Amino acid sequence: MRIHIEASDLPGRTCPPGAGFPGYSGVHVGVQRRDRRDELLGLHPGDATSAAWTLECTATPTPGGVDLRGPHIQGRPGSRFIYLSWGTVDDAGVFSMFRRAKLMLDAVDAGTVDAAVRSGRLLGRLGLTDGRGEPLCAAVRPPRIEWTVG
């Protein structure tokens, strides 16, 4: 099965300082690989018009529902998620993470997951700028993200 994430409304390549936020330049976002904090899939600049990622996963039926696993899926069964990692990229191309957003897969409606397993594709759509104009972070659940069958 594939999980496709479509993101819009990126916050920009420069995020000015604010309350409790030091500010950053050279901002980029990518999907973090499980257990490899510095290995990112599809790094996009923060001023891109949009960003998209496609993740391969397996869907295993369990007594509690479908368990989604793959190289970019984090967490334990029943509380799986995908990390979108925000960081800066310096002149040498080195990424330094400063925050993450957790796309909570346990928040996907069971009917949507079942239909996605049958079709082979789950689609998540979200905006990546929070209410303060900063890169989206923390746990992300509907309605902040819309999960549908792709």
Side-chain angles (χ1 to χ4, degrees):
M1 187 172 116
R2 291 186 176 163
I3 299 174
H4 187 72
I5 301 165
E6 295 178 354
S8 59
D9 188 33
L10 280 78
R13 200 176 290 226
T14 302
C15 298
F21 187 74
Y24 295 95
S25 61
V27 174
H28 287 67
V29 63
V31 175
Q32 179 185 314
R33 187 173 175 93
R34 183 183 65 246
D35 298 327
R36 296 184 187 162
R37 183 179 179 146
D38 296 325
E39 190 174 323
L40 301 168
L41 173 70
L43 198 58
H44 294 275
D47 61 354
T49 305
S50 62
W53 301 273
T54 300
L55 316 174
E56 297 289 334
C57 71
T58 58
T60 306
T62 70
V66 175
D67 185 29
L68 301 175
R69 294 188 299 196
H72 295 92
I73 297 177
Q74 316 276 340
R76 300 185 188 285
S79 60
R80 302 273 191 213
F81 60 91
I82 297 165
Y83 266 139
L84 293 183
S85 293
W86 291 99
T88 60
V89 175
D90 65 18
D91 292 338
V94 176
F95 179 86
S96 299
M97 187 186 71
F98 63 82
R99 76 171 23 165
R100 296 186 286 200
K102 284 173 101 170
L103 308 184
M104 304 304 296
L105 294 172
D106 62 348
V108 182
D109 174 81
T112 301
V113 172
D114 291 341
V117 169
R118 288 191 301 277
S119 77
R121 187 170 153 150
L122 177 64
L123 173 62
R125 288 190 177 112
L126 76 161
L128 293 181
T129 300
D130 70 13
R132 295 179 303 227
E134 297 171 358
L136 180 68
C137 67
V140 179
R141 295 180 170 85
R144 190 77 175 124
I145 185 168
E146 177 189 13
W147 291 105
T148 60
V149 176

